[in-house]
Amino acid sequence: VVLILGQNYYDDIRSTPTKGYQGVGLLSGICLIVGTMIGSGIFISPKSVLLYSGAVGPCLLIWTACGVLSTLGALCYAELGTMITKSGGEYPYLMEAFGSIVAYLYSWTTIMVLKPSSFAIITLSFAEYASTPFYPGCSPPLIVTKCLAAAAILVITSINCLSVKLASYVQNFFTAAKLLIILVIVVAGIVMLAQGKTENFSNSFDGTTTSFGAIGLAFYNGLWAYDGWNQLNFITEELKNPFRNLPLAIVIGIPLVTVCYVLVNVAYFTVMTTTELLLSPAVAVTFGDRVLYPASWIVPLFVVFSTFGSANGSCFTAGRLVYASGREGHMVKILSYINVKRYTPAPALIFNGVLAIFYTIPADINTLINYFSFAQWFFYGLTALALIVMRFTRKNLDRPVKIPVVLAGIMVLVSCYLVLAPIIDKPELEYLYCTIFIFSGLILYYPFVYRKVNWGRKIMRPITMHLQLLMDVAPPEKTE
């Protein structure tokens, strides 16, 4: 049936290019940045930052510095995103500045590990918070959290495959929900300060750590909570008026998150000492139990909303990198196709969702992410370096947004520090294994991308045809 009845339809949709849907406006762009950045990090990371910084004062300074660093990085990406208006995050910028191999290694590492595993971690956090009320007095069984996480991945992937607009509405709703709970926590903290709860802020720099590696790890944990500041660059082609909305969403969204994070941490310290905060299994829930009782149940509920919204944002942008990589021939072509009716990169989204489900299976996925975090910051630094390189090699490109090149230089230096500090402080073989995995992508690059072997195309052609018929997808329209 597929071969006989479907062949004519396949020929039609194969030869009919499909233009992507530009339906993400300024508000949705801000919600994507804010909604993806504010996940479970601000409700969990405070104790990690405090642990490595050693005291309240440096802890608050690190949270502020992380916001400034995220803003610097995002400003670099604003120039790159308005200069090269292609989706895929860092991928098109590395391609333009350093060529195919560097861009391929980035896409290989991010598509196969960083994006799907991050998606899996966020949904596992969602599953843990969502299932905990049903198991009072104990932790929910591991099988329950993993199955619930897999179900969340399926639901979120389905939403993103159905409609860009629907995914944007979901993102906007959950962003509003998480801003509401942050507002509740901040207002409660202000009330506590007004009542004189300031004893935890006296001698706030006593016990400050001076370890080179510990400070790096404190920044790592803080920046993990800020991760997502580059998300809008993954969907540049779907933005309405990207030359205006991309930099404007960045300038509004990231400072808003920074203010929220600092004020939430101040609120935490009004009711918890450093020791109590470090011993708390979930800082926001402990805060709710002490300040918001008997309405303290709203905190874990809104944490569930927060993690679901963050997972939706992660899925929304991850699919675009797979799509962009497939379009350039660095992944199989079917991953670059768009649904002919819904204008969503369904194959790329499904591929990312399947990988994320696999990443929910291991016992401790967090360990994997900790070791691959240095790779993430390596590529952030490389992208900032790409901006500097293209100031000399691509002088003819139009730059609607142009930042001082010194900001990109600072971003490169900070990235080098964040990559090297944990390795120097505590060298482990796992970092070597991660590096080997990154460069192992060259084993596939040479025959399938560089040489373009014929037998590979012969194998993929019938597979592509059947998947194209199954998912009703076609190649995207090529526009300059």
Side-chain angles (χ1 to χ4, degrees), residues 98-428:
F98 302 116
S100 178
I101 292 179
V102 175
Y104 171 80
L105 290 177
Y106 165 76
S107 65
W108 161 257
T109 306
T110 307
I111 290 170
M112 300 306 294
V113 178
L114 294 178
K115 280 292 185 181
S117 58
S118 176
F119 189 17
I121 282 180
I122 298 169
T123 52
L124 284 168
S125 297
F126 159 81
E128 187 172 351
Y129 274 98
S131 57
T132 296
F134 298 97
Y135 296 90
C138 64
S139 299
L142 200 59
I143 187 66
V144 171
T145 56
K146 289 184 182 294
C147 288
L148 188 55
I153 290 170
L154 290 174
V155 170
I156 291 168
T157 302
S158 300
I159 289 170
N160 281 269
C161 287
L162 284 173
S163 169
V164 173
K165 186 174 287 187
L166 176 61
S168 295
Y169 287 155
V170 170
Q171 191 66 31
N172 294 355
F173 172 78
F174 284 103
T175 299
K178 64 183 69 181
L179 287 177
L180 177 61
I181 190 59
I182 283 177
L183 180 63
V184 169
I185 292 173
V186 169
V187 170
I190 292 173
V191 171
M192 299 301 288
L193 284 174
Q195 293 176 352
K197 301 285 186 178
T198 59
E199 55 270 15
N200 290 330
F201 298 98
S202 59
N203 303 317
S204 57
F205 285 87
D206 290 350
T208 302
T209 184
T210 56
S211 168
F212 178 80
I215 294 172
L217 288 170
F219 271 97
Y220 254 142
N221 283 275
L223 289 167
W224 179 75
Y226 278 96
D227 197 33
W229 51 264
N230 62 332
Q231 295 301 290
L232 211 54
N233 292 73
F234 283 88
I235 60 162
T236 308
E237 293 172 31
E238 293 168 73
L239 274 176
K240 296 176 182 176
N241 191 7
F243 303 109
R244 169 184 176 270
N245 289 339
L246 177 62
L248 201 55
I250 286 170
V251 169
I252 295 172
I254 299 175
L256 173 62
V257 173
T258 304
V259 171
C260 288
Y261 278 8
V262 174
L263 291 179
V264 165
N265 275 274
V266 170
Y268 290 157
F269 286 119
T270 59
V271 296
M272 283 181 278
T273 65
T274 55
T275 303
E276 290 171 336
L277 192 143
L278 289 172
L279 293 175
S280 170
V283 180
V285 175
T286 302
F287 178 88
D289 289 338
R290 295 191 179 187
V291 179
L292 302 177
Y293 186 82
S296 56
W297 56 268
I298 68 170
V299 174
L301 174 65
F302 276 86
V303 172
V304 169
F305 288 169
S306 180
T307 49
F308 190 88
S310 185
N312 180 73
S314 176
C315 176
F316 190 82
T317 57
R320 274 60 181 178
L321 173 58
V322 184
Y323 154 78
S325 185
R327 183 173 58 184
E328 297 294 336
H330 287 172
M331 289 284 163
V332 292
K333 279 292 181 183
I334 187 67
L335 295 178
S336 69
Y337 288 7
I338 292 176
N339 187 277
V340 295
K341 296 176 182 176
R342 304 184 184 280
Y343 306 115
T344 58
L349 289 165
I350 293 169
F351 180 75
N352 181 66
V354 170
L355 284 179
I357 289 174
F358 277 113
Y359 278 117
T360 62
I361 297 172
D364 188 14
I365 188 178
N366 292 281
T367 303
L368 175 69
I369 287 299
N370 288 339
Y371 290 123
F372 268 95
S373 292
F374 87 100
Q376 184 69 74
W377 274 97
F378 171 75
F379 287 118
Y380 285 158
L382 205 59
T383 305
L385 182 62
L387 186 150
I388 299 172
V389 168
M390 285 191 282
R391 286 286 180 93
F392 300 96
T393 60
R394 298 289 190 272
K395 294 181 180 180
N396 58 319
L397 290 177
D398 184 36
R399 291 173 170 83
V401 175
K402 192 172 183 179
I403 66 166
V405 73
V406 67
L407 297 183
I410 293 171
M411 192 66 185
V412 172
L413 293 175
V414 170
S415 298
C416 289
Y417 171 77
L418 291 172
V419 169
L420 296 175
I423 299 175
I424 293 171
D425 186 62
K426 191 179 179 182
E428 295 182 9

Side-chain angles (χ1 to χ4, degrees), residues 83-101:
M83 179 175 66
I84 303 170
T85 54
K86 293 182 180 180
S87 295
E90 293 86 348
Y91 179 78
Y93 317 142
L94 295 174
M95 175 78 80
E96 190 75 24
F98 302 116
S100 178
I101 292 179

